[in-house]
Amino acid sequence: MSRQIADGYQAPTLSELEARVRGLETQVARLTELVKTLSGQSRESR
């Protein structure tokens, strides 16, 4: 069973990996901004 899975696996291409990294960088930047915003709001509400 595991051999069948391994035989069907294809490593991603360099361009696919680069696209994934760019997407993750964008998500991290958005999450960072959200955390900053929420942190500022929680301080203001105290």
Side-chain angles (χ1 to χ4, degrees):
M1 180 75 152
S2 61
R3 177 146 176 99
Q4 290 174 339
I5 294 170
D7 288 344
Y9 175 75
Q10 291 183 355
T13 64
L14 182 58
S15 61
E16 289 171 334
L17 289 174
E18 289 172 341
R20 288 185 195 178
V21 169
R22 278 192 302 275
L24 289 171
E25 288 172 339
T26 302
Q27 288 179 343
V28 168
R30 288 178 184 161
L31 288 171
T32 300
E33 289 302 314
L34 285 171
V35 168
K36 287 179 183 178
T37 300
L38 291 172
S39 295
Q41 288 177 356
S42 66
R43 287 187 195 134
E44 292 171 2
S45 64
R46 290 183 183 173

